[in-house]
Amino acid sequence: MNGTNLQPWQVIRQDENGSRYRIGHCATRAEAQRLIQRLRLSSGARPADGSARYLVERVELAPRAHL
């Protein structure tokens, strides 16, 4: 893919109401998991009720049209 910077994994934060927020994009699943670990560590103690969670999802890229 001619040097484009593809980052097919995204990190999502989902709150207790089901609302979802994209936190970031990563090149690999392992990188996305490390991002989640950094977010958890930087936020200090997690809420006792576990109301929010982080998810890793693969982004499906649409095929590019040939010109």
Side-chain angles (χ1 to χ4, degrees):
M1 296 218 99
N2 68 7
T4 58
N5 187 14
L6 298 178
Q7 295 187 324
W9 296 93
Q10 63 183 2
V11 176
I12 304 290
R13 181 182 183 276
Q14 183 171 333
D15 67 17
E16 66 277 2
N17 297 318
S19 297
R20 296 164 53 101
Y21 307 93
R22 185 173 48 239
I23 302 296
H25 280 91
C26 300
T28 65
R29 183 176 181 84
E31 185 181 326
Q33 294 290 352
R34 287 191 299 271
L35 174 57
I36 290 172
Q37 291 301 320
R38 285 194 310 269
L39 290 168
R40 288 181 177 155
L41 289 173
S42 68
S43 67
R46 295 177 69 187
D49 62 359
S51 58
R53 64 184 183 146
Y54 293 103
L55 309 166
V56 175
E57 293 182 348
R58 178 124 174 116
V59 177
E60 295 300 324
L61 302 173
R64 296 179 70 168
H66 295 283
L67 299 176

